[in-house]
Amino acid sequence: MGLVAEFDIDCEALPLTGVAVAAPDATIILSMQFNHGNRPLFLVTVRGGSSSRIENAFTEAYDVGEWTLVGQADETRRYQVLPALSLEEQLGEHLDDLAGLEALATADAIIERIDVIPDGWRQTGWFADRDAFSKFSSFWQRNAEFRLHRLTQDGETEPPGDGLTDRQREALRIAYELGYFDIPRQASLEEVATELDITPSSVSERLRRAQTQLIEETVATTWPPLPE
């Protein structure tokens, strides 16, 4: 069964992050056409924000060679951007494993959306299985910072999520706010139970199930499997 994931790659060297810094009130969506040699053409959709600020940022960006406004509808603008650097040139000083970056291009995955944010890229992608996702996430964990937001199996009717029920999420939130997870602990299981109006044993079970779900969908997914 395949997986759908939404995650952040925190790496300020990724293309167009400088543009996102200059226009924090705009949504910048990037897609790449890899049939243009070693410098894939960028197709950039910008929603909101100041058009003059965005275009000045394109002009001043060190990683943008040329840019063209292709079309506009209301507050949505479409640009074609020719990068000034290849991905290897842009990321070479920041990644220890460029060969691994090239290998990701042949991974059993489809990156459906890239949002450019000031710290890097937020991506939504489809992965053939947990092994494909683990290879992808492990690469970015080694070379930058990878933060998983949502993960689910494809074919599910719900959008990607952490797998928690509303009651589990509420129990975690209340326990966290009361200081149950602090070191030293600031609240007892009984105090959390009182706040939720359920028994301490129910709180304990709910928190254990929530923690197990989070581990399965984050740590257990991104770590390589133990040797047999």
Side-chain angles (χ1 to χ4, degrees), residues 124-160:
T124 301
W126 296 68
F127 297 84
D129 49 37
R130 288 184 178 269
D131 183 58
F133 179 72
S134 178
K135 289 177 181 177
F136 187 95
S137 58
S138 296
F139 171 85
W140 287 110
Q141 287 171 339
R142 293 193 308 270
N143 289 277
E145 183 176 344
F146 181 93
R147 289 185 288 119
L148 180 65
H149 291 294
R150 299 185 294 173
L151 183 70
T152 190
Q153 293 182 337
D154 63 13
E156 294 185 358
T157 58
E158 294 296 321

Side-chain angles (χ1 to χ4, degrees), residues 20-199:
V21 170
D25 54 344
T27 299
I28 303 172
I29 304 170
L30 170 66
S31 61
M32 293 182 281
Q33 293 188 338
F34 286 97
N35 57 346
H36 287 73
N38 64 351
R39 297 186 186 182
L41 186 67
F42 295 163
L43 303 179
V44 184
T45 301
V46 180
R47 297 185 180 130
S50 165
S51 59
S52 60
R53 181 176 296 177
I54 284 286
E55 291 168 6
N56 287 339
F58 280 146
T59 300
E60 296 174 3
Y62 77 96
D63 52 356
V64 172
E66 300 176 4
W67 62 268
T68 303
L69 175 63
V70 177
Q72 180 173 350
D74 296 326
E75 293 188 352
T76 299
R77 300 174 297 279
R78 296 272 290 177
Y79 296 90
Q80 182 172 283
V81 176
L82 180 65
L85 305 168
S86 67
L87 290 177
E88 289 77 9
E89 291 170 336
Q90 181 148 357
L91 300 175
E93 295 182 1
H94 303 272
L95 300 184
D96 296 328
D97 185 11
L98 279 178
L101 178 65
E102 295 175 357
L104 289 185
T106 60
D108 294 330
I110 297 173
I111 301 303
E112 189 173 54
R113 174 168 170 150
I114 301 173
D115 284 67
V116 183
I117 56 179
D119 294 331
W121 286 355
R122 176 166 295 166
Q123 297 188 342
T124 301
W126 296 68
F127 297 84
D129 49 37
R130 288 184 178 269
D131 183 58
F133 179 72
S134 178
K135 289 177 181 177
F136 187 95
S137 58
S138 296
F139 171 85
W140 287 110
Q141 287 171 339
R142 293 193 308 270
N143 289 277
E145 183 176 344
F146 181 93
R147 289 185 288 119
L148 180 65
H149 291 294
R150 299 185 294 173
L151 183 70
T152 190
Q153 293 182 337
D154 63 13
E156 294 185 358
T157 58
E158 294 296 321
D162 51 27
L164 299 178
T165 66
D166 291 340
R167 290 181 177 181
Q168 289 171 350
R169 188 175 289 104
E170 180 189 32
L172 285 174
R173 179 181 62 81
I174 294 297
Y176 175 79
E177 291 176 351
L178 292 178
Y180 179 78
F181 298 114
D182 289 356
I183 302 174
R185 182 166 287 170
Q186 302 299 312
S188 67
L189 196 63
E190 289 74 16
E191 289 172 313
V192 178
T194 298
E195 188 71 19
L196 291 169
D197 195 25
I198 57 177
T199 65

